[in-house]
Amino acid sequence: MTKPDAAPMAVLNGISPQFLVDDLPAALAYYRDRLGFETDFCYESFYAGVSRDGIMIHLKCAPKSVSDRAARRQQEHLDAYVTVTGAAALYEELRSRGARITRPLEERPWSCLDFYVEDLDGYVLCFSEPLSRG
């Protein structure tokens, strides 16, 4: 007796948030110089992708609402939550690079060690390391 062919299994392999930026060259420089990302591509000077350790962010030169950014910052809305290994070392690296750290490295009640960084356009990235409880 033969088994029917199994349906192909779908697998999600990553996600790349798209951030609207005012000045693409300045945003690329910030991600490179302050956050340690590399430029993967730049398309016609209005769209680009940056990555670090397999984490990708797309940047698009386009208008955005300043009031929306302010409200999101005030409510600690995260634009990207990045799981990391070695949060303390990354915190020190980004601090030494002059990244805009908006929330210092701390252990959180939800068993993570994390910190927040803001980019030039007000996007908030949380770099977080899950802590094992034993």
Side-chain angles (χ1 to χ4, degrees):
M1 181 171 182
T2 61
K3 286 193 217 175
D5 289 336
M9 184 174 205
V11 177
L12 303 180
N13 294 312
I15 187 168
S16 301
Q18 182 188 72
F19 295 164
L20 304 180
V21 301
D22 291 329
D23 180 332
L24 186 59
L28 287 169
Y30 185 83
Y31 277 86
R32 180 191 64 232
D33 299 340
R34 303 291 183 242
L35 302 182
F37 281 69
E38 293 183 13
T39 301
D40 292 326
F41 69 88
C42 189
Y43 178 72
E44 294 187 3
S45 73
F46 80 91
Y47 196 74
V50 295
S51 68
R52 178 173 174 164
D53 300 325
I55 301 300
M56 182 176 260
I57 297 172
H58 289 196
L59 306 169
K60 182 178 182 182
C61 194
K64 63 187 176 312
S65 165
V66 173
S67 62
D68 177 57
R69 297 279 10 120
R72 293 162 73 100
R73 186 179 314 112
Q74 183 179 29
Q75 300 300 317
E76 287 193 342
H77 170 80
L78 301 177
D79 296 290
Y81 183 90
V82 183
T83 304
V84 303
T85 301
L90 181 62
Y91 177 80
E92 290 304 322
E93 175 197 334
L94 300 189
R95 193 175 63 74
S96 73
R97 288 174 170 267
R100 263 187 222 171
I101 296 172
T102 59
R103 188 165 184 181
L105 182 70
E106 294 178 340
E107 187 173 330
R108 308 292 182 216
W110 45 91
S111 299
C112 289
L113 181 65
D114 63 34
F115 64 98
Y116 295 2
V117 171
E118 183 178 14
D119 77 2
L120 294 178
D121 291 276
Y123 290 100
V124 179
L125 294 85
C126 173
F127 295 98
S128 182
E129 180 174 12
L131 299 173
S132 60
R133 297 290 183 197

